[in-house]
Amino acid sequence: MAKDFSTREENYSQWYNDLVIRADLAENSAVRGCMVIKPYGFAIWEKMQAALDKMFKDTGHVNAYFPIFIPKSFFSREASHVEGFAKECAVVTHYRLKNAPDNKGVVVDEDAKLEEELIVRPTSETIIWDTYKNWIQSYRDLPLLINQWANVVRWEMRTRLFLRTAEFLWQEGHTAHATSEEALNEALTMLDVYATFAEKFMAIPVLKGTKTASERFAGAIETFAIEALMQDGKALQAGTSHFLGQNFAKAFDVKFLNRENQLDFVWATSWGVSTRLLGALIMSHSDDHGLVLPPKLAPTQVVIVPVFKTNEQLGQISEVARKIQSSLQQSGISVKYDDRDTQKPGWKFTEYEFKGVPVRLVLGPRDLEQGTIEVFRRDTLEKDILQVEDIDRKVIHLLDQIQENLYQKAIDFRENNSHMVDTWEEFLQKIEGPGGFLYAHWDGTAETEAKIKEETKATIRVIPLGQPLAEGKCIYSGNPSSQRVIFARAY
RNA sequence: CGGGGUAUAGCGUAGUCCGGUUAGCGCGCCUGCUUUGGGAGCAGGAGGUCGUAAGUUCGAAUCUUACUACCCCGACCA
């Protein structure tokens, strides 16, 4: 077990911060609010990207790239959009520096003021819709299904590595459709893609639902989201998908001729997930021994550690180890054989454990004699001595089991921390206590939602999709309600 | 952005209240030897403009002011 490392119980948020740093995922940079994603953290992000990108392509999308800068005037075209983002925009006002008069460093050259200031994109709807205007004339140009992988900047007051940083990496899909139904379907399809990704790859169960008006994306008609429950009982929005109606089409005058030869505005969606997913991943599975990664996203899925005294031993062990390595690699498993003699085995065990490598294989002289190998699984911390024959098949099976076990554990956790709540007293008691997802009736008004948030810091995470309606009374106002919504304190 | 706190070697810290030699310790790092099945041991060694800037003083890590960064709590947000 790692020393000098907070436990979840002692201080959950300290535990998270320590973990991100100590597992070499990311660190704070010289720029306020911006992080450096280190190679190990970035490797996880790359795996997420690869899986998501494939899912996007499989659903008919293509990638493109739009500028990081957006003319200021574009922003004001869509009223609620400006309002939503105005407070957190970085603005470029000049394009040149010059030597300071006293020759100490450089200053902004006031003569190089931009005619029109540029906004560093907090999201790309405006620049993209201004571009789509030229790409779309006919229903034959639709649907337009484009995604971009990019960085965005939102000038946040308080930042936390991965969870909220001033600059972050994400993907944003922006689609145009001929009909409202088709666009709405697209938004829901992508919500499903996100949910599938979260569950199959990240091993995180998520709730799918609709956001209330107050939590809606600036400029959207409807915002859908997936919500995950973290180990401290707080919710984390892990992805959003928006049905934008014709709002941006109208703001940017994007019209097409339909089959009836009539001019109409196109229907739009946008959807995104960000490096915040790394925060979700960490907080869902990791423990007091460090990071725990689901095999499907682990940069190194299997590490092989030799234990040896002499070079002859190392040679013999390496022969077996490399055979295992290459046969696993042929099955698409990423395997690291760590034969460094600069670190001791015990040091390596702790290190890989901390970094969440799902499976560790240890080979020593005893194993060579007996034809065995030690297998350690990170999720349960269990150690087994197995026969070395067929070890590749056993390991592949074990990786599947670990993936499944992490998902099941996360589901169990969520079940144990989801509660039907019917009275205000119960609501208060639960929200102040263990937290979790609270299923409660709500009268549907923004006033009640705001009051509850004010008094408890709990927000409506989603109005669940596909849940049967059930009459009830609002836990706060007592007014009639047609279904339960999900409350939680959130990141 | 409001309230509170912190800043001394790569990391963690002592010293700061009460100014006074070469700023101490642990981890890590380098060299050598012995070690290697859960973070090795011994010996030697390198590494500091005490966050930045200005001020007070014969003298500042220590006192004053401003700035910056980070942490905690609020407001805002993916």
Side-chain angles (χ1 to χ4, degrees), chain A residues 410-483:
Chain A
I411 286 184
D412 292 345
F413 177 82
R414 187 179 70 177
E415 292 314 306
N416 292 332
N417 289 279
S418 295
H419 306 284
M420 295 278 182
V421 168
D422 290 309
T423 67
W424 185 238
E425 290 68 35
E426 215 181 328
F427 187 91
L428 287 175
Q429 180 231 318
K430 282 278 190 294
I431 209 75
E432 294 298 339
F437 283 141
L438 304 184
Y439 289 66
H441 280 284
W442 165 59
D443 63 17
T445 67
E447 292 72 35
T448 298
E449 186 186 10
K451 286 278 189 199
I452 292 174
K453 183 177 179 182
E454 200 181 308
E455 292 181 28
T456 66
K457 292 184 217 151
T459 51
I460 298 173
R461 300 320 301 159
V462 283
I463 302 164
L465 286 171
Q467 173 187 262
L469 297 186
E471 298 295 319
K473 282 186 175 169
C474 174
I475 42 155
Y476 189 82
S477 68
N479 290 331
S481 148
S482 61
Q483 69 169 318

Side-chain angles (χ1 to χ4, degrees), chain A residues 12 15-16 19-20 25 44 48 161-162 202 204 230-231 276-287 290-293:
Chain A
Y12 191 84
W15 166 82
Y16 175 83
L19 189 41
V20 171
L25 299 175
I44 299 171
M48 290 178 167
L161 293 170
F162 293 121
M202 299 178 69
I204 300 175
M230 302 295 103
Q231 292 182 68
R276 187 182 225 209
L277 288 179
L278 277 151
L281 191 68
I282 296 161
M283 288 196 290
S284 293
H285 305 304
S286 299
D287 60 24
L291 197 60
V292 176
L293 294 173

Side-chain angles (χ1 to χ4, degrees), chain A residues 157-221:
Chain A
M157 300 302 180
R158 256 182 91 191
T159 59
R160 286 189 76 192
L161 293 170
F162 293 121
L163 296 174
R164 177 164 298 107
T165 46
E167 180 194 22
F168 57 94
L169 305 183
W170 76 346
Q171 57 69 218
E172 45 181 328
H174 296 274
T175 69
H177 305 264
T179 65
S180 171
E181 294 71 34
E182 191 184 303
L184 191 56
N185 265 337
E186 165 78 4
L188 289 166
T189 298
M190 298 322 287
L191 186 73
D192 281 340
V193 164
Y194 288 157
T196 302
F197 172 75
E199 295 178 351
K200 298 279 184 247
F201 287 84
M202 299 178 69
I204 300 175
V206 291
L207 294 175
K208 291 188 283 191
T210 310
K211 286 289 184 181
T212 62
S214 70
E215 300 267 329
R216 199 174 284 155
F217 174 73
I221 303 289

